[in-house]
Amino acid sequence: MSDHYKPRTATAIIIANMVGTGVFTSLGFQLLDIQDGFALLMLWVLGGVAALCGAASYGELGAALPRSGGEYNFLGRIYHPAAGFISGWISAVIGFAAPIAASAIVFGTYATAALPGDYGPWVTKGLAASVVIIATLIHGRNRGSSGAFQSSFTLIKVIMIVAFCLAGLLLVADAQPISFAPSASGFDAMTSGSYAVALIYVSYAYTGWNAATYISGEMKNPQRDLPRVLLVGTAIVMALYVALNYVFLRVAPIDAMTGREEIGYIAATYIFGDTAARVTGMALALLLVSTVSAMVLAGPRALQGVGEDFPALGFLGRVNGAGVPRNAIYFQSAVTLIFILTSSFEFIVIFAGAMLALNSLLAVVGVFVLRYREPDLPRPYRTWGYPVTPLIYIALTVFTLVFVVMEKPLQAGFAAGLIALGGVFYWLSKRLGR
C-alpha cells in the first residue's frame, strides 16, 4: 500500500501556500490611503475571519467528497463537470502557475540582493527557475521525500516569522507613535472605498487556505483529519499575519513604508540596523522556498483530476509507482517556467486572487446546494456555525469581487475571457474523448 500525506504535512501545505509574498508587500500599498493602526490590523483580522469561515465550509465539502483536486472535485460534483473542468483550468494556469512564478522571482530578487556583487535580471530569473525545478523534482518522486521537504521548510518559515516578531517587540524600545485602539477615524476608514481595495490585497495574501483539499484523496483519513487541518492551518496563518503587521507598524515609520514593496526589509533595518539587509534578504528568500514548494505540490492535483475524468487529457491523470501525479506536476511547472522566462505573469497576478476567490465562492455556495439536493449524503463533519459561517464568507467575497469588477474592468474582462477559453477546452476535450 502506498504511503499517505500526514495531517502535519497537509497543515504545512496550507501555511506555506498562504504565507508568501502577500504579507510582505501588501502593507505599503494599504498605507497609501489608510494610516489608522486599528483599521490596518482589522484588515488582516477580517481577511482571517473570511478564510476561517471558508475553511470551515471546505471541511464539510472535503469530508463529504474526499477526492483530491480541490475546487475541481467540488464544482464538478456539485454543479456540472464543465464547472469542475474550468475550475481546474483556472487553478493550473492562474491559481498556481502565476503565483509560483511570482514567488520564485521574488526569491531570486532577495537572493541576489543578499549575495555580494551586482547581478542582472537573467540571474534572478535563473535562480527563480532553479527553485521551481528543484521543487518539481522533489515532489515528483514520492510522498515521503515530498512531505518531509515541505514540513521542514514550513517549520523554518514559522520559526523565522515568530523570531522576527519577537525581535521587533524586544529589541525596539521606542515604538512608533501609532495607536491600535478602536477610534472614530478607524471606523470611518473601514467604511471607505479604499478599504475595499485594501481587502483585495489581503484576500490575495490569504489565498491558499484551501490547499489541503487538493491532496485530500492522498490522506489516510481525510474525513477525520481534513476539517481540523483546514482550521488549524488557517488560524496559525491569521495569527502570524496580525503579529507581523503589528510589528511592521510598531517598528518602522509609516512614511518609510508607504508605497514600498520590501516591507520586511524596511522593518528589519529598524530592528537590527542596516547591516541586516543581506541577512534579511536571504531569510525572506528561504521563506519563499516553502511557498513555491507548497504550490508545486498542491496545484497538480487539480490537473490530475482533469486527466482522470477526460480521456483526451489522460496523460495528466497518470501517476508513478508511488502514486504521485508526476506528469501533472511537470506540466504545471512547465507553465510556471514560461511565466518566469517571459515575465508575462505580472498582469495575471493582479487578478489571480480574485479568480481564486471566485472558485472558492462557488464551492462555499455549494455547501447550501449539496445540503438541499443531497440531504442524506454522509457528512462526517458539518460546517460549524452553519448557515452563518458560510454566509459570512460569501458576503465578504462577493463584496471584494464586485469591487474588483468596478475598479479593475480590464482584469475582469481578461478573467471572463479565460473562463470562456476553459469552456472551449472542455468542449474540445469531450469531442476528442468521444
Side-chain angles (χ1 to χ4, degrees):
M1 182 178 178
S2 62
D3 52 345
H4 295 84
Y5 285 119
K6 298 178 181 179
R8 68 169 177 266
T9 301
T11 305
I13 290 170
I14 289 176
I15 295 171
N17 260 277
M18 295 171 73
V19 184
T21 55
V23 72
F24 293 105
T25 59
S26 297
L27 183 60
F29 299 106
Q30 295 161 0
L31 285 170
L32 290 170
D33 299 300
I34 306 165
Q35 299 195 349
D36 181 86
F38 173 75
L40 288 165
L41 287 188
M42 283 303 297
L43 278 171
W44 298 95
V45 173
L46 287 173
V49 168
L52 282 170
C53 290
S57 303
Y58 267 56
E60 176 172 326
L61 293 174
L65 309 172
R67 181 193 179 193
S68 295
E71 289 86 8
Y72 168 76
N73 172 36
F74 299 154
L75 302 191
R77 173 71 167 75
I78 295 170
Y79 300 108
H80 189 276
F85 183 95
I86 294 172
S87 173
W89 156 260
I90 291 171
S91 294
V93 179
I94 301 299
F96 286 95
I100 291 171
S103 295
I105 285 182
V106 175
F107 162 82
T109 301
Y110 276 106
T112 52
L115 296 171
D118 296 324
Y119 301 93
W122 283 106
V123 175
T124 299
K125 290 184 178 183
L127 288 172
S130 297
V131 73
V132 171
I133 292 170
I134 291 171
T136 301
L137 294 175
I138 290 173
H139 292 309
R141 293 181 58 199
N142 59 67
R143 297 190 187 102
S145 59
S146 170
F149 180 83
Q150 188 60 58
S151 298
S152 300
F153 267 91
T154 303
L155 180 61
I156 292 171
K157 171 184 282 189
V158 172
I159 290 173
M160 290 175 64
I161 290 176
V162 171
F164 182 90
C165 291
L166 289 175
L169 295 174
L170 299 176
L171 299 182
V172 179
D174 299 324
Q176 296 297 318
I178 183 171
S179 173
F180 297 99
S183 64
S185 61
F187 287 112
D188 288 341
M190 292 173 65
T191 57
S192 65
S194 57
Y195 205 74
V197 174
L199 275 172
I200 296 171
Y201 289 105
V202 172
S203 173
Y204 182 78
Y206 271 105
T207 297
W209 52 263
N210 56 344
T213 62
Y214 284 80
I215 62 160
S216 57
E218 298 168 75
M219 296 170 65
K220 188 173 183 179
N221 193 342
Q223 288 91 345
R224 181 194 67 192
D225 295 330
L226 185 60
R228 183 173 70 251
V229 163
L230 288 167
L231 290 170
V232 169
T234 303
I236 290 173
V237 171
M238 179 180 175
L240 291 175
Y241 278 2
V242 174
L244 266 175
N245 281 277
Y246 173 79
V247 170
F248 291 157
L249 292 166
R250 182 183 185 275
V251 303
I254 286 178
D255 291 343
M257 296 187 289
T258 302
R260 301 286 294 275
E261 293 183 5
E262 63 278 19
I263 297 300
Y265 169 78
I266 293 169
T269 60
Y270 284 90
I271 297 173
F272 306 109
D274 293 335
T275 56
R278 295 190 185 277
V279 176
T280 302
M282 189 56 70
L284 290 175
L286 287 175
L287 294 184
L288 293 168
V289 170
S290 172
T291 304
V292 169
S293 169
M295 289 189 284
V296 167
L297 190 160
R301 270 58 187 185
L303 287 174
Q304 179 189 2
V306 171
E308 291 171 348
D309 295 341
F310 296 89
L313 299 171
F315 74 97
L316 293 173
R318 296 184 196 130
V319 297
N320 63 11
V324 174
R326 179 180 291 172
N327 288 352
I329 292 174
Y330 289 171
F331 179 85
Q332 177 184 268
S333 293
V335 176
T336 301
L337 291 174
I338 291 172
F339 284 146
I340 289 174
L341 296 176
T342 63
S343 297
S344 60
F345 70 94
E346 294 178 1
F347 177 82
I348 299 174
V349 168
I350 295 173
F351 71 96
M355 292 292 286
L356 288 176
L358 176 61
N359 261 355
S360 300
L361 172 66
L362 293 174
V364 173
V365 171
V367 173
F368 294 95
V369 175
L370 211 55
R371 285 206 184 191
Y372 173 77
R373 199 175 62 209
E374 299 183 45
D376 298 326
L377 180 71
R379 292 174 171 82
Y381 169 83
R382 289 177 174 266
T383 302
W384 178 86
Y386 179 90
V388 175
T389 305
L391 285 175
I392 290 174
Y393 180 81
I394 290 169
L396 288 172
T397 305
V398 167
F399 172 72
T400 302
L401 289 175
V402 167
F403 205 86
V404 168
V405 173
M406 292 171 57
E407 294 294 312
K408 309 287 184 181
L410 185 60
Q411 286 89 332
F414 192 80
L418 193 68
I419 292 171
L421 190 58
V424 171
F425 274 110
Y426 171 77
W427 178 78
L428 287 173
S429 68
K430 294 292 286 184
R431 284 186 62 87
L432 291 173
R434 286 198 297 267

